[in-house]
Amino acid sequence: MLKKIIWFTGLSGSGKSTLSKLLNKKLLKFNYKTKIVDGDLFRKKKKNLKNFTRKNIFENNLSIIKYISKIQKKYDYIIVSVISPLSSTRYKAKRIFGENYFEIYVHCSKKELLKRDPKGLYALARKNILKNLIGFNSRIVYEKSNYNKITINTEKNNLKICIKKILKKI
């Protein structure tokens, strides 16, 4: 069986972590060995919480790719949930993992992101307390991938439909 890397990408609050956890639950029911790599938790472990420069984001995403490379043989599915705004890092993951790599772009409108705001980041950005929220007030913009990927709209589809679409593709 192919070892698969499921890479959820998209702006903060779009539903990456929620979908990752739900997908993990589904795969565990089928007795697959899985691992979730959450971008926020990965950053905390590296004690790199506040530096969101282009270089830092690139290096953090490369660290995630290296980590996955080391552990991938142990799991049937590794589920990654990270904003990963730079298309170059996602493309690098795609090149490294090849046919085992499935990129899922999780999307919803900015209006919906502002409404959801599960971590309160958009509220902080609106008050100009947080000055580098990607997709809102950061100089770093989310770069879309120019290759085939799965796009999931969490604003227009409920979680059950989103997971069904993902399972069908992977």
Side-chain angles (χ1 to χ4, degrees), residues 11-47:
L11 296 177
S12 182
S14 61
K16 298 177 304 296
S17 294
T18 301
L19 288 172
S20 294
K21 290 172 190 168
L22 284 171
L23 178 61
N24 188 55
K25 231 180 196 178
K26 281 278 190 202
L27 294 171
L28 288 173
K29 283 183 183 178
F30 295 113
N31 294 319
Y32 288 115
K33 195 168 182 192
T34 65
K35 171 82 172 166
I36 293 179
V37 177
D38 183 271
D40 290 339
L41 298 175
F42 193 85
R43 227 176 223 290
K44 280 180 188 171
K45 284 182 187 174
K46 295 278 182 183
K47 294 181 175 56

Side-chain angles (χ1 to χ4, degrees), residues 73-129:
K73 289 185 176 138
K74 297 178 186 176
Y75 300 96
D76 299 313
Y77 289 90
I78 297 177
I79 303 165
V80 181
S81 173
V82 62
I83 294 172
S84 55
L86 307 175
S87 60
S88 59
T89 55
R90 296 189 312 271
Y91 183 69
K92 187 166 185 77
K94 182 176 174 48
R95 274 196 339 262
I96 289 169
F97 303 119
E99 64 185 30
N100 299 352
Y101 177 84
F102 291 85
E103 186 174 306
I104 301 173
Y105 173 58
V106 183
H107 172 76
C108 66
S109 69
K110 283 190 183 175
K111 182 180 176 185
E112 182 65 19
L113 292 172
L114 292 168
K115 190 171 102 181
R116 288 179 187 175
D117 200 9
K119 300 174 194 168
L121 299 177
Y122 291 99
L124 293 173
R126 278 179 166 163
K127 294 175 186 171
N128 215 20
I129 296 168

